[in-house]
Amino acid sequence: GAVVSQHPSRVICKSGTSVKIECRSLDFQATTMFWYRQFPKKSLMLMATSNEGSKATYEQGVEKDKFLINHASLTLSTLTVTSAHPEDSSFYICSVFQTNTQYFGPGTRLTVL
Amino acid sequence: GDSVTQMEGPVTLSEEAFLTINCTYTATGYPSLFWYVQYPGEGLQLLLKATKADDKGSNKGFEATYRKETTSFHLEKGSVQVSDSAVYFCALRGSGGGGNKLTFGTGTQLKVEL
């Protein structure tokens, strides 16, 4: 299946700063990528669907101005958490869709102090 | 809408014990079903999948059969190892107009002890 990487794997930032997380499809050109958020000991919550060359589609309740998504190429999607606050601390995971299956990246642990 | 229900964990087993993690779903039409595994601090890895009724997905000794009559996709393994300790997620991809989104269960933590 598709190989997906994320960078950074872990980031700590101060409250009020912005953080960018990259998701790369290493061996597959992905027109669609997904961004999930996972709370401790909880399931994954789909935040948005990232579409190459067009605006992302956000799930209900997800602030699009807070979580900026850019899918500038077929191999790269970025999630920027703007003006981060401690409640944004979480595990963020991206995935790509290939042949009826989603393949996930290793995740990024964001801690906002 | 679509939903997935998994048995609550944690499930604690001794090495070489038999494993069953129950998963049932609600969906219209003919969804595709998946099991993903998440090791501590990592993302999700696809474990197995089934795309139509009566299909059996299998990988690394794990199996699950798509049962449409009972809307279930239970995960089984005949003999677990300590290295199988992880969180297991059941998920479905609907066949309706929801695109390629996945709906996940809440996850079941498995702990295997010597």
Side-chain angles (χ1 to χ4, degrees):
Chain A
V3 179
V4 183
S5 71
Q6 283 184 239
H7 178 79
S9 58
R10 187 179 296 268
V11 57
I12 301 173
C13 70
K14 294 181 179 179
S15 186
T17 60
S18 294
V19 174
K20 181 184 287 187
I21 301 170
E22 294 184 347
C23 175
R24 292 184 184 275
S25 177
L26 299 182
D27 60 351
F28 172 70
Q29 292 187 323
T31 56
T32 301
M33 294 185 178
F34 301 89
W35 284 97
Y36 291 84
R37 183 174 178 178
Q38 186 179 30
F39 295 95
K41 298 185 179 181
K42 297 288 187 181
S43 188
L44 281 74
M45 179 191 79
L46 178 64
M47 299 174 65
T49 302
S50 170
N51 303 297
E52 190 268 336
S54 63
K55 292 182 179 180
T57 304
Y58 289 83
E59 296 299 300
Q60 191 172 10
V62 178
E63 299 176 59
K64 61 180 181 181
D65 295 329
K66 172 76 171 177
F67 299 99
L68 299 178
I69 292 173
N70 183 21
H71 193 155
S73 76
L74 290 172
T75 58
L76 174 64
S77 176
T78 59
L79 168 67
T80 301
V81 183
T82 62
S83 186
H85 291 283
E87 58 266 30
D88 299 324
S89 298
S90 194
F91 195 54
Y92 293 87
I93 310 176
C94 70
S95 72
V96 304
F97 182 77
Q98 180 193 44
T99 318
N100 299 318
T101 301
Q102 283 193 30
Y103 296 92
F104 288 81
T108 296
R109 172 73 60 192
L110 170 63
T111 303
V112 185
L113 302 177
Chain B
D2 296 344
S3 67
V4 176
T5 302
Q6 282 182 243
M7 60 188 290
E8 288 192 19
V11 174
T12 303
L13 296 174
S14 298
E15 200 169 42
E16 299 184 358
F18 184 86
L19 168 71
T20 300
I21 300 179
N22 290 338
C23 171
T24 57
Y25 67 89
T26 302
T28 56
Y30 300 90
S32 295
L33 302 174
F34 305 84
W35 277 101
Y36 285 88
V37 58
Q38 184 178 32
Y39 297 100
E42 298 183 9
L44 275 68
Q45 299 176 25
L46 177 66
L47 182 59
L48 52 85
K49 67 179 180 180
T51 58
K52 61 182 188 295
D54 299 325
D55 268 1
K56 176 186 285 188
S58 62
N59 185 26
K60 299 180 181 180
F62 291 89
E63 293 183 340
T65 301
Y66 187 161
R67 302 286 189 198
K68 189 162 179 64
E69 64 275 16
T70 54
T71 62
S72 65
F73 193 54
H74 304 322
L75 182 67
E76 297 182 337
K77 185 174 185 181
S79 176
V80 294
Q81 305 299 312
V82 172
S83 57
D84 294 326
S85 298
V87 180
Y88 292 82
F89 291 93
C90 184
L92 72 82
R93 182 172 69 86
S95 59
N100 298 316
K101 299 177 186 178
L102 286 178
T103 300
F104 283 90
T106 53
T108 301
Q109 184 175 13
L110 171 65
K111 296 180 180 179
V112 181
E113 301 173 335
L114 289 172

